[in-house]
Amino acid sequence: AFLAQASEGAPGGGPAAGPAAALARNLATDLVRTFPELGALLAPASDLYRACADVLTAYAAYRPDLRYVQGMTFICAVVCLSVAPAPAAFQVLANVLHRPLLRNLYTLGPATVARVYALHDALLRRHLPALHARFHAAGVPPDSYLLDWFLTVFSRALPLDVA
């Protein structure tokens, strides 16, 4: 019901069949890979899976400029584990994803991403010089970890009970 209400305002009464089918396929692929430690809790027939799929589908209709971006499933799963019902989870997710840094990273504008990497590198060099030197010596640039951390709001990098 929530999903139907969210897509009522879309042109033609709902999203086009092509993009909607592609979104459903992407979500089906990504949701089963999200927090594999949850097992049956996030299995395709579970309430959590359905809630995440509904919330992300509604978000894609709400923000057609962003739609769905891989990594949102991690944030959505944490939100849906903590907030119910789905309309409330949608509101929390929309507020989190509305933050300028996330919004800009999800659009993957190269200039924004490059600035974020440069800022992170400068801050790491200034505040944690030994760690910066180790990363540099090992050939670990910020683009090998930082985008994943930010796009999932650290929910993939941290233990689930901390995220």
Side-chain angles (χ1 to χ4, degrees):
F2 167 63
L3 181 57
Q5 291 172 353
S7 62
E8 280 176 3
L23 175 61
R25 281 191 307 274
N26 289 340
L27 288 176
T29 299
D30 292 347
L31 278 168
V32 296
R33 296 187 297 200
T34 302
F35 298 125
E37 65 270 23
L38 290 179
L41 192 58
L42 198 52
S46 72
D47 290 339
L48 179 59
Y49 180 98
R50 281 190 299 278
C52 288
D54 284 353
V55 168
L56 288 166
T57 301
Y59 185 79
Y62 168 68
R63 289 296 306 264
D65 57 323
L66 291 180
R67 299 211 33 87
Y68 166 73
V69 177
Q70 191 173 22
M72 287 181 179
T73 55
F74 287 89
I75 301 168
C76 187
V78 170
V79 169
C80 287
L81 280 168
S82 305
V83 178
F90 169 79
Q91 186 175 13
V92 170
L93 181 73
N95 286 334
V96 168
L97 296 181
H98 186 69
R99 306 299 306 161
L101 175 63
L102 277 176
R103 189 177 59 244
N104 288 329
L105 288 174
Y106 274 121
T107 61
L108 297 176
T112 299
V113 173
R115 283 194 308 269
V116 168
Y117 288 161
L119 177 61
H120 168 75
D121 195 54
L123 290 171
L124 190 63
R125 184 181 315 114
R126 174 185 241 180
H127 296 287
L128 297 169
L131 181 60
H132 180 269
R134 275 200 112 129
F135 276 6
H136 185 71
V140 180
D143 64 347
S144 66
Y145 60 89
L146 198 60
L147 192 60
D148 181 59
W149 286 358
F150 283 172
L151 291 182
T152 64
V153 191
F154 298 94
S155 62
R156 187 171 165 187
L158 295 172
L160 187 56
D161 60 337
V162 175

